[in-house]
């Protein structure tokens, strides 16, 4: 993923103090600890630009399996309202562990409800345990059912309190520096669950603090209809009218972005988190990613919340991105290498990170060793493309800042059996 998109056969990557010093052939090994990666393709770590990790404990909920966005949300809100801070932490840890095992080294998260005393701090704690980079966004909902919004009143917060807590978490956790493990963004949930005033105030606060802005936009036809009926404009124009365009903003989904809105995003450098599995799962549609990329819109991948995917697997997401682009725009709409680029460099740009996404000198040593000896790849003719075309394989190793998070195909920072047992207990309680 360097500027020339070089692929180096039999190459080495030299790492010092958590950063890549060199990538090329026959690098000096004297004094270095050598990790043998023969039989592997090494790529930059994958980057996830949209998730709701609190939803991991509500995968495949029967009543929400076959609904579209608004009905799906109405079914799940009451379950989410029962979650405790421990549930939020556990749910995040399970999702992040799964992401790490899919080759993800940096994930964002959009936590927009805080039941029973939960805080953004809970998801940050989970990320620190799993050991991947984390862009936590302080989400929020403020317009409940009684005021024409979608969520129940019990799940919405007072807008002054939202802004106060937003400021608290930015001051407490945001690291603007190179190699940051935790960054914080502001993320009112969506046009149909917060007021225009909160959107505007969040944008002002984010710019004052130098942090990024994130929300959902133009997810499906209902969403566009809500925007036209309530604000008299298309979602992209609504975003622009509130200060929600710019290279410090990224929007999730954008399935229904029109050509003028795509041009607006390109002109302003506004990013998009493309979530093809979630968009298929909820029958929202296929985002016009070919047109976005051709126009110059920054695009990254997002697995989206685990209640609408229902997996936190970036390899599957990259594969799905390639497949649905072809369904929409023909067989040449997206190749495997472009899908890989969107999953790495694309995501890094969307999250505003110039220090990850490529195996080039000066970048953070976030890299994945993909074992091409797996049966799923037996018979391949092009190991790089096979990573996307074939069934995703579990990485042999995943490094974040030079530190192994996955080794020998196993997660080194948490015990998946323990996570699964705790998740089962939590689900039994939430369902009861
Ligand atoms: Zn979402």
């Amino acid at each position: 993923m360097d500027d020339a998109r070089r692929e180096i056969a039999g190459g080495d990557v030299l790492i010092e103090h958590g950063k890549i010093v060199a990538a090329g052939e026959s690098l000096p090994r004297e004094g270095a600890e050598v990790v043998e990666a023969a039989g592997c393709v090494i790529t930059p770590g994958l980057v996830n630009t949209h998730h709701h990790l609190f939803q991991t404990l509500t995968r495949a909920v029967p009543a929400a399996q076959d609904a579209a966005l608004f009905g799906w949300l109405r079914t799940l809100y009451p379950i989410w309202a029962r979650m405790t801070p421990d549930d939020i932490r556990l749910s995040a840890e399970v999702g992040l562990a799964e992401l790490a095992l899919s080759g993800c080294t940096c994930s964002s998260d959009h936590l927009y409800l805080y039941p029973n005393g939960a805080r953004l701090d809970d998801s940050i704690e989970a990320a620190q345990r799993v050991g991947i980079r984390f862009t936590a966004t302080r989400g929020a909902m403020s317009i409940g059912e009684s005021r024409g919004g979608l969520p129940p009143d019990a799940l919405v917060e007072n807008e002054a309190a939202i802004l106060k807590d937003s400021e608290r978490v930015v001051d407490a956790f945001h690291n603007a520096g190179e190699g940051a493990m935790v960054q914080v963004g502001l993320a009112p949930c969506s046009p149909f669950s917060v007021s225009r005033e909160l959107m505007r105030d969040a944008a002002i606060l984010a710019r004052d603090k130098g942090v990024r802005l994130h929300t959902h936009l133009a997810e499906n036809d209902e969403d566009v209809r809500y925007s036209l009926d309530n604000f008299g404009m298309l979602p992209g124009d609504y975003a622009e009218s509130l200060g929600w365009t710019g290279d410090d903003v990224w929007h999730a989904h954008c399935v229904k972005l029109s050509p003028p809105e795509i041009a607006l995003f390109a002109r302003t450098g506004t990013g998009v988190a493309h979530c093809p599995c979630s968009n298929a799962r909820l029958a929202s549609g296929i985002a016009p990613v070919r047109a976005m990329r051709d126009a110059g819109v920054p695009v990254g991948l997002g697995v989206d919340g685990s209640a609408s995917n229902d997996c936190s697997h970036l390899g599957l997401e990259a594969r799905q991105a390639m497949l649905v682009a072809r369904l929409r725009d023909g067989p040449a709409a997206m190749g495997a290498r472009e899908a890989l680029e969107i999953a790495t460099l694309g995501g890094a740009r969307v999250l505003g990170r110039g220090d990850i996404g490529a195996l080039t000198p000066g970048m953070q040593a976030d890299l994945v060793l993909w074992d091409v000896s797996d049966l799923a790849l037996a018979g391949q003719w092009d190991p790089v493309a096979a990573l996307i075309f074939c069934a995703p394989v579990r990485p042999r190793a995943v490094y974040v800042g030079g530190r192994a998070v996955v080794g020998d195909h196993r997660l080194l920072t948490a015990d998946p059996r323990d996570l699964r047992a705790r998740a089962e207990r939590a689900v039994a309680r939430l369902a009861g």
Side-chain angles (χ1 to χ4, degrees):
M1 293 301 159
D2 66 2
D3 291 341
R5 302 293 184 270
R6 278 185 306 152
E7 291 172 10
I8 304 161
D12 296 324
V13 182
L14 186 61
I15 297 169
E16 264 179 35
H17 306 301
K19 286 166 72 169
I20 294 169
V21 177
E25 284 172 82
S26 308
L27 299 179
R29 297 181 166 212
E30 293 78 47
E33 177 196 340
V34 176
V35 176
E36 187 52 66
C40 289
V41 172
I42 303 182
T43 69
L46 309 186
V47 178
N48 180 36
T49 63
H50 186 62
H51 207 322
H52 310 288
L53 286 161
F54 73 90
Q55 296 176 0
T56 314
L57 292 181
T58 51
R59 303 201 231 217
V61 170
Q65 284 174 16
D66 305 321
L69 178 65
F70 284 16
W72 172 89
L73 282 169
R74 285 198 188 93
T75 303
L76 290 167
Y77 283 139
I79 303 175
W80 295 334
R82 294 202 286 275
M83 295 181 83
T84 64
D86 280 345
D87 292 331
I88 300 282
R89 252 192 315 271
L90 172 63
S91 195
E93 201 173 340
V94 171
L96 290 163
E98 191 187 358
L99 276 169
L101 285 167
S102 80
C104 176
T105 54
C106 178
S107 180
S108 66
D109 184 43
H110 187 183
L111 182 58
Y112 57 78
L113 42 84
Y114 298 86
N116 309 304
R119 301 189 304 167
L120 193 68
D121 316 39
D122 298 312
S123 60
I124 292 172
E125 221 174 274
Q128 287 169 332
R129 266 186 225 159
V130 175
I132 69 173
R133 296 183 204 282
F134 196 51
T135 300
T137 65
R138 207 303 181 183
M141 300 194 293
S142 63
I143 306 282
E145 267 172 331
S146 65
R147 292 173 59 208
L150 202 69
D153 289 358
L155 275 180
V156 305
E157 296 174 272
N158 164 289
E159 298 196 343
I162 291 167
L163 289 165
K164 191 163 170 238
D165 193 53
S166 298
E167 200 165 358
R168 177 189 71 83
V169 291
V170 170
D171 291 344
F173 296 109
H174 181 66
N175 177 356
E178 191 189 330
M181 289 300 291
V182 176
Q183 298 199 322
V184 177
L186 302 188
C189 185
S190 64
F192 51 84
S193 54
V194 302
S195 72
R196 291 170 204 253
E197 290 71 32
L198 183 65
M199 294 290 288
R200 194 175 290 127
D201 289 347
I204 292 167
L205 177 60
R207 281 166 185 141
D208 181 44
K209 293 280 181 188
V211 300
R212 301 178 77 73
L213 287 164
H214 179 48
T215 193
H216 296 98
L217 204 79
E219 181 164 351
N220 69 2
D221 290 328
E222 281 176 298
D223 193 357
V224 175
R225 173 56 40 208
Y226 186 95
S227 196
L228 290 169
D229 288 350
N230 288 273
F231 315 124
M233 50 186 129
L234 289 169
D237 298 327
Y238 180 63
E240 190 191 27
S241 74
L242 297 170
W244 276 73
T245 48
D247 61 5
D248 55 353
V249 183
W250 85 106
H251 294 281
H253 304 299
C254 299
V255 173
K256 300 290 177 180
L257 231 47
S258 65
E261 290 169 292
I262 291 173
L264 166 69
F265 275 40
R267 202 163 59 240
T268 53
T270 308
V272 169
H274 176 41
C275 308
C277 288
S278 168
N279 298 155
R281 156 73 148 94
L282 296 174
S284 300
I286 301 173
V289 169
R290 181 71 276 139
M292 290 176 187
R293 296 257 307 165
D294 288 346
V297 177
V299 179
L301 288 182
V303 298
D304 203 2
S306 294
S308 66
N309 183 325
D310 300 11
C311 50
S312 299
H313 197 299
L314 265 174
L316 281 174
E317 209 63 42
R319 186 170 194 270
Q320 181 86 346
M322 179 182 79
L323 297 178
V324 300
R326 292 167 178 217
L327 269 182
R328 185 191 161 101
D329 295 319
M334 189 185 294
R337 285 170 171 79
E338 186 173 10
L340 207 50
E341 180 181 320
I342 294 171
T344 51
L345 268 183
R349 179 162 173 212
V350 164
L351 294 185
R353 299 207 55 151
D355 57 346
I356 59 172
L359 300 183
T360 53
M363 286 283 181
Q364 293 296 308
D366 292 7
L367 42 98
V368 186
L369 276 57
W370 305 95
D371 206 331
V372 292
S373 66
D374 193 283
L375 182 70
L377 276 76
Q380 57 79 18
W381 289 43
D382 176 348
V384 176
L387 292 177
I388 303 294
F389 273 98
C390 301
V393 295
R394 180 175 279 199
R396 184 193 291 179
V398 175
Y399 293 87
V400 179
R403 174 190 179 224
V405 172
V406 172
D408 204 14
H409 303 96
R410 287 183 307 111
L411 189 65
L412 302 174
T413 50
D415 176 2
R417 278 174 308 181
D418 171 59
L419 289 176
R420 199 184 57 220
R422 284 160 58 207
E424 273 170 28
R425 288 198 294 277
V427 166
R429 183 169 37 75
L430 290 168

